[in-house]
Amino acid sequence: MSPHFKLKEFTSKQRSGYPKFVYLRPSLLLKLEMLRREMNMNNIHVSNLVIMSGYRTPQYNKSIGNVKFSRHVYGDAADIFVDNDGNYRMDDLNSDGLVNIKDADVMANMIAELNKRSEYKGLIGGLGVYGPKPHRGPFIHVDTRGIKARWRKP
């Protein structure tokens, strides 16, 4: 799909047989590639940007208790984290010896820097910062809804 992402990373995670479903807007891929590039240019090594959740069918989105009009059902949202060591958890991006919401903030700050650039204007959207839970590490939500939206869930 792009230099660093495959279509299967964005398919719906619903537990069913085939067919699997996906709807993906090119703007999301561009935003993710730009974020990855920006982080690497700022000495935050990213060899593996994990798409924890991409497209969701409306049925799957409802079954996990997400909001009715989640951007995931429109194919322009992804929940992501950096996992260079392959443990399926966010890496220690700020080098403080801990993995917590501050590492998600590092990614969010890169998005904030990108938002200031004219070439990024068409990629403006949602940015959610999520802290860790027992079953998963911290992550961020990004989307390209066209208007700025921000939230934080420790």
Side-chain angles (χ1 to χ4, degrees), residues 42-105:
N42 283 279
N43 298 314
I44 302 165
H45 178 68
V46 179
S47 62
N48 189 27
L49 186 61
V50 173
I51 310 300
M52 188 170 77
S53 183
Y55 174 71
R56 296 178 188 152
T57 64
Q59 296 82 2
Y60 178 66
N61 193 64
K62 184 178 180 181
S63 76
I64 63 171
N66 206 334
V67 296
K68 184 176 182 179
F69 297 108
S70 166
R71 297 309 306 179
H72 289 272
V73 301
Y74 296 100
D76 71 349
D79 297 335
I80 59 174
F81 59 91
V82 175
D83 179 26
N84 296 325
D85 62 11
N87 68 353
Y88 204 70
R89 296 281 177 146
M90 173 79 84
D91 289 347
D92 180 12
L93 300 182
N94 63 355
S95 301
D96 67 356
L98 304 170
V99 176
N100 54 33
I101 198 167
K102 292 178 182 177
D103 299 298
D105 287 334

Short mmCIF file of all heavy atoms in Angstrom, two decimals, residues 42-105:
data_model
loop_
_atom_site.label_atom_id
_atom_site.label_comp_id
_atom_site.label_asym_id
_atom_site.label_seq_id
_atom_site.Cartn_x
_atom_site.Cartn_y
_atom_site.Cartn_z
N ASN A 42 13.71 13.23 13.72
CA ASN A 42 13.92 13.83 15.03
C ASN A 42 14.56 12.86 16.01
O ASN A 42 14.36 12.96 17.22
CB ASN A 42 12.59 14.37 15.57
CG ASN A 42 12.21 15.67 14.92
OD1 ASN A 42 12.70 16.73 15.30
ND2 ASN A 42 11.36 15.60 13.90
N ASN A 43 15.31 11.91 15.48
CA ASN A 43 16.08 10.94 16.28
C ASN A 43 15.22 10.07 17.20
O ASN A 43 15.66 9.67 18.27
CB ASN A 43 17.18 11.65 17.08
CG ASN A 43 18.18 12.31 16.16
OD1 ASN A 43 18.62 11.70 15.18
ND2 ASN A 43 18.51 13.55 16.44
N ILE A 44 13.99 9.81 16.78
CA ILE A 44 13.14 8.84 17.46
C ILE A 44 13.00 7.68 16.48
O ILE A 44 12.20 7.73 15.55
CB ILE A 44 11.77 9.44 17.83
CG1 ILE A 44 11.95 10.67 18.71
CG2 ILE A 44 10.91 8.39 18.53
CD1 ILE A 44 10.73 11.51 18.85
N HIS A 45 13.83 6.66 16.67
CA HIS A 45 13.90 5.57 15.71
C HIS A 45 12.58 4.81 15.61
O HIS A 45 12.04 4.36 16.63
CB HIS A 45 15.04 4.60 16.10
CG HIS A 45 15.13 3.44 15.19
ND1 HIS A 45 15.54 3.56 13.87
CD2 HIS A 45 14.86 2.13 15.38
CE1 HIS A 45 15.51 2.37 13.31
NE2 HIS A 45 15.10 1.48 14.20
N VAL A 46 12.08 4.70 14.39
CA VAL A 46 10.85 3.95 14.13
C VAL A 46 11.12 2.99 12.98
O VAL A 46 11.19 3.41 11.82
CB VAL A 46 9.67 4.88 13.76
CG1 VAL A 46 8.42 4.06 13.47
CG2 VAL A 46 9.41 5.90 14.85
N SER A 47 11.29 1.72 13.31
CA SER A 47 11.38 0.72 12.25
C SER A 47 10.06 -0.03 12.13
O SER A 47 9.78 -0.62 11.11
CB SER A 47 12.53 -0.26 12.52
OG SER A 47 12.31 -0.96 13.73
N ASN A 48 9.23 0.01 13.18
CA ASN A 48 7.96 -0.70 13.17
C ASN A 48 6.88 0.15 13.83
O ASN A 48 6.82 0.25 15.05
CB ASN A 48 8.10 -2.04 13.90
CG ASN A 48 6.88 -2.91 13.73
OD1 ASN A 48 6.15 -2.80 12.75
ND2 ASN A 48 6.64 -3.79 14.68
N LEU A 49 6.03 0.75 13.01
CA LEU A 49 4.88 1.50 13.49
C LEU A 49 3.68 0.56 13.38
O LEU A 49 3.25 0.23 12.28
CB LEU A 49 4.67 2.77 12.67
CG LEU A 49 3.59 3.73 13.13
CD1 LEU A 49 3.87 4.24 14.54
CD2 LEU A 49 3.47 4.90 12.18
N VAL A 50 3.18 0.10 14.50
CA VAL A 50 2.12 -0.91 14.53
C VAL A 50 0.74 -0.26 14.38
O VAL A 50 0.43 0.73 15.04
CB VAL A 50 2.16 -1.71 15.85
CG1 VAL A 50 0.96 -2.65 15.98
CG2 VAL A 50 3.45 -2.48 15.96
N ILE A 51 -0.05 -0.84 13.48
CA ILE A 51 -1.46 -0.45 13.34
C ILE A 51 -2.25 -1.39 14.25
O ILE A 51 -2.54 -2.53 13.89
CB ILE A 51 -1.95 -0.60 11.88
CG1 ILE A 51 -1.00 0.07 10.89
CG2 ILE A 51 -3.39 -0.09 11.76
CD1 ILE A 51 -0.81 1.55 11.09
N MET A 52 -2.55 -0.93 15.45
CA MET A 52 -3.28 -1.75 16.41
C MET A 52 -4.73 -1.94 15.95
O MET A 52 -5.32 -3.00 16.12
CB MET A 52 -3.24 -1.07 17.79
CG MET A 52 -3.80 -1.89 18.91
SD MET A 52 -3.47 -1.15 20.51
CE MET A 52 -4.67 0.15 20.55
N SER A 53 -5.30 -0.89 15.37
CA SER A 53 -6.66 -0.96 14.86
C SER A 53 -6.78 0.02 13.70
O SER A 53 -6.45 1.19 13.84
CB SER A 53 -7.66 -0.60 15.96
OG SER A 53 -8.98 -0.73 15.48
N GLY A 54 -7.22 -0.49 12.56
CA GLY A 54 -7.44 0.35 11.39
C GLY A 54 -8.94 0.41 11.10
O GLY A 54 -9.72 0.87 11.92
N TYR A 55 -9.33 -0.15 9.95
CA TYR A 55 -10.74 -0.17 9.59
C TYR A 55 -11.53 -1.07 10.54
O TYR A 55 -11.06 -2.12 10.96
CB TYR A 55 -10.92 -0.66 8.16
CG TYR A 55 -12.37 -0.83 7.79
CD1 TYR A 55 -13.19 0.28 7.62
CD2 TYR A 55 -12.93 -2.09 7.67
CE1 TYR A 55 -14.54 0.13 7.32
CE2 TYR A 55 -14.28 -2.25 7.36
CZ TYR A 55 -15.06 -1.14 7.19
OH TYR A 55 -16.39 -1.28 6.90
N ARG A 56 -12.75 -0.62 10.86
CA ARG A 56 -13.70 -1.43 11.62
C ARG A 56 -15.04 -1.43 10.90
O ARG A 56 -15.51 -0.35 10.51
CB ARG A 56 -13.90 -0.87 13.03
CG ARG A 56 -12.67 -0.88 13.89
CD ARG A 56 -12.99 -0.26 15.24
NE ARG A 56 -11.78 -0.08 16.03
CZ ARG A 56 -11.64 0.86 16.96
NH1 ARG A 56 -12.64 1.69 17.21
NH2 ARG A 56 -10.52 0.95 17.63
N THR A 57 -15.64 -2.58 10.76
CA THR A 57 -17.00 -2.61 10.23
C THR A 57 -17.90 -1.97 11.29
O THR A 57 -17.57 -1.98 12.48
CB THR A 57 -17.48 -4.04 9.96
OG1 THR A 57 -17.53 -4.76 11.19
CG2 THR A 57 -16.59 -4.76 8.96
N PRO A 58 -19.03 -1.40 10.87
CA PRO A 58 -19.94 -0.82 11.88
C PRO A 58 -20.36 -1.85 12.95
O PRO A 58 -20.45 -1.50 14.12
CB PRO A 58 -21.14 -0.36 11.05
CG PRO A 58 -20.56 -0.09 9.69
CD PRO A 58 -19.48 -1.13 9.51
N GLN A 59 -20.56 -3.10 12.55
CA GLN A 59 -20.95 -4.13 13.50
C GLN A 59 -19.84 -4.39 14.52
O GLN A 59 -20.10 -4.49 15.72
CB GLN A 59 -21.29 -5.44 12.77
CG GLN A 59 -22.48 -5.35 11.85
CD GLN A 59 -22.15 -4.76 10.47
OE1 GLN A 59 -21.00 -4.43 10.15
NE2 GLN A 59 -23.17 -4.60 9.65
N TYR A 60 -18.60 -4.50 14.04
CA TYR A 60 -17.48 -4.74 14.94
C TYR A 60 -17.27 -3.53 15.86
O TYR A 60 -17.06 -3.69 17.06
CB TYR A 60 -16.21 -5.05 14.17
CG TYR A 60 -15.02 -5.25 15.07
CD1 TYR A 60 -14.96 -6.33 15.94
CD2 TYR A 60 -13.95 -4.36 15.06
CE1 TYR A 60 -13.88 -6.52 16.78
CE2 TYR A 60 -12.86 -4.54 15.90
CZ TYR A 60 -12.83 -5.62 16.75
OH TYR A 60 -11.77 -5.80 17.59
N ASN A 61 -17.35 -2.35 15.30
CA ASN A 61 -17.19 -1.14 16.09
C ASN A 61 -18.20 -1.09 17.23
O ASN A 61 -17.86 -0.77 18.37
CB ASN A 61 -17.32 0.09 15.18
CG ASN A 61 -16.85 1.34 15.86
OD1 ASN A 61 -15.68 1.48 16.20
ND2 ASN A 61 -17.77 2.28 16.05
N LYS A 62 -19.44 -1.44 16.93
CA LYS A 62 -20.49 -1.46 17.96
C LYS A 62 -20.21 -2.55 18.99
O LYS A 62 -20.38 -2.34 20.20
CB LYS A 62 -21.86 -1.70 17.31
CG LYS A 62 -23.01 -1.65 18.28
CD LYS A 62 -24.34 -1.83 17.57
CE LYS A 62 -25.47 -1.79 18.57
NZ LYS A 62 -26.78 -1.97 17.93
N SER A 63 -19.74 -3.72 18.55
CA SER A 63 -19.51 -4.84 19.47
C SER A 63 -18.41 -4.55 20.49
O SER A 63 -18.41 -5.12 21.57
CB SER A 63 -19.18 -6.12 18.69
OG SER A 63 -17.85 -6.09 18.21
N ILE A 64 -17.47 -3.66 20.15
CA ILE A 64 -16.41 -3.33 21.11
C ILE A 64 -16.75 -2.09 21.92
O ILE A 64 -15.92 -1.59 22.69
CB ILE A 64 -15.04 -3.18 20.42
CG1 ILE A 64 -15.02 -2.02 19.41
CG2 ILE A 64 -14.61 -4.49 19.77
CD1 ILE A 64 -13.66 -1.69 18.85
N GLY A 65 -17.97 -1.56 21.73
CA GLY A 65 -18.44 -0.44 22.54
C GLY A 65 -17.91 0.91 22.13
O GLY A 65 -17.94 1.85 22.92
N ASN A 66 -17.45 1.03 20.89
CA ASN A 66 -16.94 2.32 20.43
C ASN A 66 -18.09 3.22 20.00
O ASN A 66 -19.21 2.74 19.78
CB ASN A 66 -15.93 2.13 19.29
CG ASN A 66 -14.95 3.27 19.20
OD1 ASN A 66 -15.22 4.40 19.60
ND2 ASN A 66 -13.78 2.98 18.67
N VAL A 67 -17.80 4.51 19.85
CA VAL A 67 -18.82 5.48 19.47
C VAL A 67 -19.38 5.17 18.08
O VAL A 67 -18.68 4.64 17.22
CB VAL A 67 -18.28 6.93 19.53
CG1 VAL A 67 -17.91 7.30 20.94
CG2 VAL A 67 -17.11 7.12 18.58
N LYS A 68 -20.63 5.51 17.87
CA LYS A 68 -21.33 5.16 16.63
C LYS A 68 -20.63 5.70 15.39
O LYS A 68 -20.53 5.02 14.38
CB LYS A 68 -22.77 5.67 16.70
CG LYS A 68 -23.60 5.30 15.50
CD LYS A 68 -25.03 5.74 15.66
CE LYS A 68 -25.87 5.31 14.47
NZ LYS A 68 -27.28 5.70 14.60
N PHE A 69 -20.16 6.93 15.45
CA PHE A 69 -19.55 7.54 14.27
C PHE A 69 -18.03 7.57 14.36
O PHE A 69 -17.39 8.54 13.95
CB PHE A 69 -20.13 8.94 14.05
CG PHE A 69 -21.60 8.91 13.76
CD1 PHE A 69 -22.52 9.36 14.70
CD2 PHE A 69 -22.07 8.40 12.56
CE1 PHE A 69 -23.88 9.32 14.43
CE2 PHE A 69 -23.43 8.35 12.29
CZ PHE A 69 -24.34 8.81 13.22
N SER A 70 -17.45 6.51 14.86
CA SER A 70 -16.00 6.38 14.93
C SER A 70 -15.39 6.56 13.54
O SER A 70 -15.91 6.05 12.54
CB SER A 70 -15.63 4.98 15.45
OG SER A 70 -14.27 4.71 15.23
N ARG A 71 -14.27 7.25 13.48
CA ARG A 71 -13.59 7.46 12.20
C ARG A 71 -13.04 6.15 11.64
O ARG A 71 -12.79 6.04 10.45
CB ARG A 71 -12.47 8.48 12.35
CG ARG A 71 -12.91 9.88 12.73
CD ARG A 71 -14.01 10.46 11.87
NE ARG A 71 -13.71 10.42 10.46
CZ ARG A 71 -14.54 10.86 9.50
NH1 ARG A 71 -15.70 11.36 9.82
NH2 ARG A 71 -14.19 10.78 8.23
N HIS A 72 -12.91 5.14 12.48
CA HIS A 72 -12.44 3.84 12.00
C HIS A 72 -13.39 3.25 10.96
O HIS A 72 -12.95 2.58 10.03
CB HIS A 72 -12.27 2.86 13.16
CG HIS A 72 -11.13 3.17 14.06
ND1 HIS A 72 -9.85 2.71 13.83
CD2 HIS A 72 -11.07 3.90 15.20
CE1 HIS A 72 -9.06 3.14 14.80
NE2 HIS A 72 -9.77 3.87 15.64
N VAL A 73 -14.69 3.49 11.09
CA VAL A 73 -15.65 2.92 10.12
C VAL A 73 -15.61 3.67 8.79
O VAL A 73 -16.13 3.17 7.79
CB VAL A 73 -17.09 2.87 10.68
CG1 VAL A 73 -17.17 2.04 11.94
CG2 VAL A 73 -17.68 4.24 10.87
N TYR A 74 -14.95 4.83 8.75
CA TYR A 74 -14.81 5.59 7.51
C TYR A 74 -13.48 5.35 6.82
O TYR A 74 -13.19 5.95 5.79
CB TYR A 74 -15.00 7.08 7.79
CG TYR A 74 -16.39 7.41 8.29
CD1 TYR A 74 -16.63 7.60 9.64
CD2 TYR A 74 -17.46 7.49 7.41
CE1 TYR A 74 -17.90 7.87 10.11
CE2 TYR A 74 -18.73 7.76 7.87
CZ TYR A 74 -18.95 7.95 9.22
OH TYR A 74 -20.21 8.21 9.68
N GLY A 75 -12.65 4.51 7.41
CA GLY A 75 -11.38 4.15 6.79
C GLY A 75 -10.31 5.22 6.86
O GLY A 75 -9.33 5.15 6.11
N ASP A 76 -10.48 6.20 7.74
CA ASP A 76 -9.46 7.25 7.83
C ASP A 76 -8.89 7.39 9.23
O ASP A 76 -8.43 8.46 9.63
CB ASP A 76 -9.99 8.58 7.31
CG ASP A 76 -11.03 9.24 8.21
OD1 ASP A 76 -11.52 8.60 9.16
OD2 ASP A 76 -11.35 10.42 7.96
N ALA A 77 -8.89 6.28 10.00
CA ALA A 77 -8.37 6.33 11.37
C ALA A 77 -7.53 5.09 11.66
O ALA A 77 -7.78 4.01 11.11
CB ALA A 77 -9.51 6.41 12.37
N ALA A 78 -6.57 5.28 12.55
CA ALA A 78 -5.75 4.16 13.01
C ALA A 78 -5.31 4.42 14.44
O ALA A 78 -5.02 5.56 14.81
CB ALA A 78 -4.53 3.96 12.12
N ASP A 79 -5.26 3.36 15.22
CA ASP A 79 -4.67 3.40 16.55
C ASP A 79 -3.28 2.79 16.40
O ASP A 79 -3.15 1.68 15.88
CB ASP A 79 -5.50 2.58 17.55
CG ASP A 79 -6.90 3.15 17.74
OD1 ASP A 79 -7.08 4.37 17.51
OD2 ASP A 79 -7.79 2.39 18.12
N ILE A 80 -2.25 3.54 16.82
CA ILE A 80 -0.88 3.15 16.48
C ILE A 80 0.07 3.29 17.66
O ILE A 80 -0.20 4.02 18.61
CB ILE A 80 -0.35 4.02 15.31
CG1 ILE A 80 -0.37 5.50 15.68
CG2 ILE A 80 -1.16 3.76 14.05
CD1 ILE A 80 0.26 6.42 14.66
N PHE A 81 1.18 2.57 17.57
CA PHE A 81 2.27 2.72 18.52
C PHE A 81 3.56 2.23 17.88
O PHE A 81 3.53 1.48 16.91
CB PHE A 81 1.99 2.00 19.84
CG PHE A 81 1.76 0.51 19.71
CD1 PHE A 81 2.83 -0.38 19.82
CD2 PHE A 81 0.49 0.01 19.50
CE1 PHE A 81 2.63 -1.74 19.71
CE2 PHE A 81 0.28 -1.36 19.39
CZ PHE A 81 1.34 -2.24 19.50
N VAL A 82 4.68 2.65 18.43
CA VAL A 82 5.99 2.24 17.95
C VAL A 82 6.41 0.99 18.71
O VAL A 82 6.39 0.97 19.93
CB VAL A 82 7.05 3.36 18.14
CG1 VAL A 82 8.44 2.86 17.76
CG2 VAL A 82 6.67 4.59 17.34
N ASP A 83 6.77 -0.05 17.95
CA ASP A 83 7.20 -1.33 18.55
C ASP A 83 8.41 -1.87 17.80
O ASP A 83 8.29 -2.82 17.03
CB ASP A 83 6.05 -2.34 18.51
CG ASP A 83 6.43 -3.69 19.10
OD1 ASP A 83 7.35 -3.74 19.94
OD2 ASP A 83 5.81 -4.69 18.70
N ASN A 84 9.56 -1.30 18.03
CA ASN A 84 10.78 -1.74 17.35
C ASN A 84 11.31 -3.06 17.90
O ASN A 84 11.99 -3.79 17.19
CB ASN A 84 11.87 -0.67 17.45
CG ASN A 84 11.48 0.60 16.74
OD1 ASN A 84 10.81 0.58 15.71
ND2 ASN A 84 11.88 1.73 17.30
N ASP A 85 10.99 -3.38 19.15
CA ASP A 85 11.53 -4.61 19.75
C ASP A 85 10.64 -5.83 19.56
O ASP A 85 10.98 -6.93 19.97
CB ASP A 85 11.88 -4.41 21.22
CG ASP A 85 10.68 -4.06 22.10
OD1 ASP A 85 9.53 -4.17 21.63
OD2 ASP A 85 10.90 -3.68 23.26
N GLY A 86 9.45 -5.64 18.96
CA GLY A 86 8.60 -6.76 18.61
C GLY A 86 7.80 -7.39 19.73
O GLY A 86 7.30 -8.50 19.60
N ASN A 87 7.60 -6.68 20.85
CA ASN A 87 6.82 -7.24 21.96
C ASN A 87 5.34 -6.82 21.94
O ASN A 87 4.60 -7.10 22.87
CB ASN A 87 7.45 -6.87 23.31
CG ASN A 87 7.35 -5.39 23.63
OD1 ASN A 87 6.93 -4.58 22.80
ND2 ASN A 87 7.76 -5.03 24.83
N TYR A 88 4.91 -6.17 20.88
CA TYR A 88 3.55 -5.67 20.69
C TYR A 88 3.11 -4.72 21.81
O TYR A 88 1.97 -4.68 22.23
CB TYR A 88 2.52 -6.80 20.53
CG TYR A 88 1.28 -6.34 19.78
CD1 TYR A 88 1.33 -6.04 18.42
CD2 TYR A 88 0.07 -6.17 20.43
CE1 TYR A 88 0.20 -5.59 17.74
CE2 TYR A 88 -1.07 -5.72 19.77
CZ TYR A 88 -0.98 -5.43 18.42
OH TYR A 88 -2.10 -4.98 17.76
N ARG A 89 4.05 -3.92 22.26
CA ARG A 89 3.80 -2.84 23.22
C ARG A 89 4.59 -1.62 22.78
O ARG A 89 5.63 -1.74 22.14
CB ARG A 89 4.26 -3.23 24.64
CG ARG A 89 3.52 -4.37 25.28
CD ARG A 89 2.18 -3.91 25.81
NE ARG A 89 1.43 -5.02 26.36
CZ ARG A 89 0.63 -4.93 27.39
NH1 ARG A 89 0.48 -3.79 28.02
NH2 ARG A 89 -0.04 -5.98 27.80
N MET A 90 4.11 -0.46 23.16
CA MET A 90 4.82 0.79 22.87
C MET A 90 6.24 0.72 23.42
O MET A 90 6.46 0.18 24.51
CB MET A 90 4.08 1.97 23.51
CG MET A 90 4.80 3.30 23.43
SD MET A 90 4.67 4.11 21.83
CE MET A 90 3.09 4.94 22.04
N ASP A 91 7.19 1.26 22.67
CA ASP A 91 8.57 1.34 23.14
C ASP A 91 8.75 2.58 24.02
O ASP A 91 7.91 3.49 24.03
CB ASP A 91 9.53 1.43 21.95
CG ASP A 91 9.62 0.12 21.19
OD1 ASP A 91 9.16 -0.92 21.69
OD2 ASP A 91 10.17 0.14 20.07
N ASP A 92 9.85 2.63 24.72
CA ASP A 92 10.22 3.76 25.58
C ASP A 92 10.77 4.87 24.68
O ASP A 92 11.97 4.97 24.46
CB ASP A 92 11.26 3.31 26.60
CG ASP A 92 11.70 4.43 27.54
OD1 ASP A 92 11.04 5.49 27.55
OD2 ASP A 92 12.70 4.22 28.24
N LEU A 93 9.89 5.70 24.16
CA LEU A 93 10.29 6.72 23.18
C LEU A 93 11.01 7.91 23.80
O LEU A 93 11.79 8.57 23.13
CB LEU A 93 9.07 7.20 22.39
CG LEU A 93 8.32 6.12 21.60
CD1 LEU A 93 7.17 6.75 20.83
CD2 LEU A 93 9.25 5.37 20.67
N ASN A 94 10.73 8.20 25.06
CA ASN A 94 11.37 9.37 25.68
C ASN A 94 12.59 8.97 26.52
O ASN A 94 13.16 9.81 27.21
CB ASN A 94 10.37 10.18 26.50
CG ASN A 94 9.80 9.40 27.67
OD1 ASN A 94 10.07 8.22 27.85
ND2 ASN A 94 8.99 10.08 28.48
N SER A 95 12.96 7.70 26.48
CA SER A 95 14.18 7.18 27.14
C SER A 95 14.23 7.46 28.64
O SER A 95 15.30 7.72 29.18
CB SER A 95 15.42 7.75 26.46
OG SER A 95 15.44 7.40 25.10
N ASP A 96 13.07 7.38 29.30
CA ASP A 96 13.07 7.59 30.75
C ASP A 96 13.06 6.26 31.53
O ASP A 96 12.95 6.25 32.75
CB ASP A 96 11.90 8.47 31.19
CG ASP A 96 10.54 7.83 31.00
OD1 ASP A 96 10.46 6.70 30.44
OD2 ASP A 96 9.53 8.45 31.39
N GLY A 97 13.16 5.14 30.81
CA GLY A 97 13.18 3.84 31.45
C GLY A 97 11.80 3.27 31.74
O GLY A 97 11.69 2.18 32.29
N LEU A 98 10.75 3.99 31.37
CA LEU A 98 9.37 3.56 31.59
C LEU A 98 8.61 3.57 30.28
O LEU A 98 8.98 4.29 29.35
CB LEU A 98 8.67 4.51 32.57
CG LEU A 98 9.32 4.71 33.93
CD1 LEU A 98 8.64 5.86 34.67
CD2 LEU A 98 9.25 3.43 34.75
N VAL A 99 7.56 2.79 30.21
CA VAL A 99 6.64 2.86 29.07
C VAL A 99 5.29 3.27 29.63
O VAL A 99 4.65 2.51 30.36
CB VAL A 99 6.55 1.52 28.31
CG1 VAL A 99 5.51 1.62 27.20
CG2 VAL A 99 7.91 1.14 27.72
N ASN A 100 4.89 4.51 29.32
CA ASN A 100 3.64 5.04 29.84
C ASN A 100 3.08 6.07 28.86
O ASN A 100 3.54 6.17 27.73
CB ASN A 100 3.86 5.63 31.24
CG ASN A 100 4.96 6.66 31.27
OD1 ASN A 100 5.17 7.40 30.30
ND2 ASN A 100 5.68 6.73 32.38
N ILE A 101 2.11 6.82 29.31
CA ILE A 101 1.43 7.77 28.42
C ILE A 101 2.39 8.83 27.88
O ILE A 101 2.17 9.40 26.82
CB ILE A 101 0.21 8.41 29.12
CG1 ILE A 101 -0.74 9.03 28.09
CG2 ILE A 101 0.65 9.38 30.21
CD1 ILE A 101 -2.11 9.40 28.63
N LYS A 102 3.48 9.08 28.58
CA LYS A 102 4.46 10.06 28.11
C LYS A 102 5.10 9.63 26.79
O LYS A 102 5.51 10.47 25.99
CB LYS A 102 5.53 10.30 29.17
CG LYS A 102 4.99 11.01 30.40
CD LYS A 102 6.05 11.18 31.45
CE LYS A 102 5.48 11.84 32.69
NZ LYS A 102 6.46 11.96 33.76
N ASP A 103 5.16 8.33 26.55
CA ASP A 103 5.69 7.84 25.28
C ASP A 103 4.68 8.10 24.15
O ASP A 103 5.07 8.45 23.03
CB ASP A 103 6.05 6.36 25.38
CG ASP A 103 7.13 6.15 26.43
OD1 ASP A 103 8.24 6.69 26.24
OD2 ASP A 103 6.86 5.49 27.44
N ALA A 104 3.40 7.97 24.45
CA ALA A 104 2.36 8.33 23.48
C ALA A 104 2.40 9.84 23.21
O ALA A 104 2.19 10.29 22.09
CB ALA A 104 0.99 7.90 23.97
N ASP A 105 2.72 10.62 24.26
CA ASP A 105 2.85 12.08 24.08
C ASP A 105 3.96 12.43 23.09
O ASP A 105 3.85 13.42 22.37
CB ASP A 105 3.13 12.75 25.42
CG ASP A 105 1.92 12.81 26.34
OD1 ASP A 105 0.78 12.79 25.83
OD2 ASP A 105 2.13 12.87 27.57
#
